Amino acid sequence: MTTVAAYAAPAAKAPLERTTIERREVGEFDVQIDIKYAGICRSDIHQAREGWGTAIFPMVPGHEIAGVVTEVGPGVTRFAVGDRVGVGCMVDSCRECDNCRAGLQQYCEKGGPVWTYNAVGKDGEPTYGGYSESVVVDENYVVRVPDGLGLDVAAPLLCAGITTYSPLKHWNAGPGKKVAVVGLGGLGHMGVKIAHALGAEVTVLSQSLRKKDDGLRMGADHYYATSDPKTFEELAGTFDLILNTVSAPLDFDAYLSLLRTDGALVNVGIPEEPVPVLLSSVFGNRRSLSSSGIGGIPETQEMLDFCAEHGLGAEIELISADQINEAYERVLGSDVRYRFVIDTATI
Ligand code: NAP
Ligand code: ZN
Ligand code: ZN
């Protein structure tokens, strides 16, 4: 075991504080990573505050990890000391079910994958995430950060990037397709960049026009405020795909009305409460209401390569570890441009 410094929530809703945790010894197929940067995802806050139900404490959040390999086990074939790598939301899975074999580890049929934190690993020990100095992960759950991407702007791609890339690809965002992204936060801003790079016509649906210049600069063709009821009249029946990244419940019937025939509203935001929806909002035009969870390991590598090729990094605000609690409050107030990233050297 190695003792490393970390930031942890000692209990639900308690502020995060500096502590130490134990990382396992490097096993045969393990990679030890010196974490350089860790993004703050809204999911970290949902879990640290038990918004999604009972959680495991102390909790070291962080599933947007970018760093450098410092040691590899004797069986490791894909990585070497010095490699620039990333770890996202999963650190293991059963590896045997149909989904794992298809590279869809996030949908592992044996009860889901082993999440990077707020979970128990196959060794029976709790997992701890990226708000820490280093981590030991099986090489099959580690991806390579291409040379063209800085580690700081690459870190958020490990969750925000793949969570938007995967549904955009699955629902065929591309030339000739009208795609709306709801919410211009961590996920949303990557959704805009990726959808634009895929060739789609992109519209941002944000609460206000406050971030309009940024949205257009990131590649949006149109930008509307959802606080203005005229938006819903003007855009009725417009989109092939709406990617909803909002963490709070929305008026789903209103957003479904913006889809054209056969359009899909895909939710990646995960509200803490159930949401009501009228099925008459989908039946009239054969619309779909769906959702998507992160992306598998092979697709995460594909996404990183795509982002490097198109020069797409996250837009970040780099913070020191003692600013984590303040950053959480700012995320909750939709005051993020567009991802907080912790410089883990400050832990
Ligand atoms: P974020 O940075 O806070 O962005 C969410 C954006 O939604 C905000 O910036 C804001 O954009 C809008 N918003 C927030 N509250 C709102 C409200 N009450 N009404 C309307 N709009 C609101 O959060 P994130 O890190 O992108 O995460 C977003 C959600 O996705 C969270 O629920 C998170 O847990 C979930 N998530 C899911 C997956 C997955 O695999 N499916 C992966 C990662 C995260 P505007 O100011 O532009 O309106
Ligand atoms: Zn996340
Ligand atoms: Zn599986």
Side-chain angles (χ1 to χ4, degrees):
M1 298 283 232
T2 314
T3 303
V4 303
Y7 258 70
K13 302 188 178 77
L16 277 76
E17 54 191 40
R18 191 179 187 280
T19 185
T20 57
I21 53 169
E22 301 295 321
R23 293 295 192 189
R24 68 170 182 257
E25 292 304 319
V26 177
E28 188 174 1
F29 302 106
D30 283 341
V31 170
Q32 183 186 58
I33 301 163
D34 174 18
I35 300 173
K36 300 290 188 193
Y37 299 100
I40 294 180
C41 178
R42 179 70 176 82
S43 304
D44 298 346
I45 308 175
H46 285 298
Q47 292 177 85
R49 302 197 174 182
E50 286 196 328
W52 290 339
T54 309
I56 302 170
F57 294 95
M59 180 189 297
V60 177
H63 56 209
E64 294 185 334
I65 299 171
V68 175
V69 174
T70 45
E71 192 180 334
V72 297
V76 169
T77 58
R78 297 173 46 235
F79 298 100
V81 171
D83 285 355
R84 300 159 79 249
V85 295
V87 175
C89 299
M90 309 176 278
V91 288
D92 211 338
S93 66
C94 89
R95 309 178 191 206
E96 288 164 359
C97 72
D98 289 347
N99 284 345
C100 280
R101 279 207 276 235
L104 295 168
Q105 297 88 348
Q106 77 275 30
Y107 304 130
C108 174
E109 292 161 36
K110 302 264 172 69
V114 176
W115 302 109
T116 302
Y117 67 87
N118 190 24
V120 175
K122 285 181 181 167
D123 57 3
E125 297 295 325
T127 57
Y128 294 119
Y131 301 3
S132 59
E133 292 175 312
S134 71
V135 65
V136 177
V137 182
D138 184 289
E139 69 164 336
N140 290 303
Y141 297 82
V142 177
V143 287
R144 190 174 295 281
V145 177
D147 284 340
L149 280 175
L151 287 177
D152 51 353
V153 300
L157 302 181
L158 276 304
C159 177
I162 184 60
T163 301
T164 49
Y165 181 85
S166 184
L168 286 167
K169 291 283 287 196
H170 186 77
W171 275 274
N172 301 313
K177 292 292 173 70
K178 291 187 177 177
V179 174
V181 176
V182 190
L184 194 68
L187 266 55
H189 92 290
M190 286 314 306
V192 170
K193 288 184 179 209
I194 294 169
H196 174 70
L198 288 168
E201 183 179 332
V202 183
T203 300
V204 174
L205 301 175
S206 179
Q207 294 167 95
S208 72
L209 297 179
R210 206 158 50 95
K211 296 175 278 191
K212 182 174 178 181
D213 292 347
D214 289 349
L216 297 179
R217 176 175 49 76
M218 290 170 195
D221 300 284
H222 318 281
Y223 201 105
Y224 288 84
T226 52
S227 53
D228 182 350
K230 285 206 291 290
T231 293
F232 290 87
E233 286 166 32
E234 198 178 322
L235 297 176
T238 298
F239 300 107
D240 298 288
L241 172 64
I242 300 176
L243 189 63
N244 172 27
T245 74
V246 174
S247 45
L250 295 178
D251 178 350
F252 278 87
D253 300 304
Y255 285 86
L256 284 164
S257 76
L258 306 184
L259 292 173
R260 54 197 301 190
T261 300
D262 286 332
L265 169 57
V266 178
N267 291 281
V268 289
I270 311 172
E272 297 178 359
E273 309 87 14
V275 288
V277 63
L278 280 170
L279 287 179
S280 56
S281 301
V282 286
F283 106 101
N285 301 60
R286 202 165 55 188
R287 293 165 173 146
S288 327
L289 177 59
S290 193
S291 71
S292 179
I294 49 170
I297 300 293
E299 196 175 35
T300 302
Q301 187 63 61
E302 179 188 308
M303 175 277 307
L304 285 170
D305 296 344
F306 176 88
C307 286
E309 188 186 320
H310 292 269
L312 309 181
E315 310 224 344
I316 66 165
E317 197 172 322
L318 194 63
I319 61 166
S320 55
D322 60 5
Q323 294 175 292
I324 293 172
N325 293 303
E326 191 189 320
Y328 273 25
E329 293 307 321
R330 286 185 53 195
V331 171
L332 292 172
S334 298
D335 178 24
V336 50
R337 297 192 184 205
Y338 283 85
R339 198 57 138 185
F340 289 108
V341 171
I342 304 161
D343 175 354
T344 52
T346 62
I347 294 176

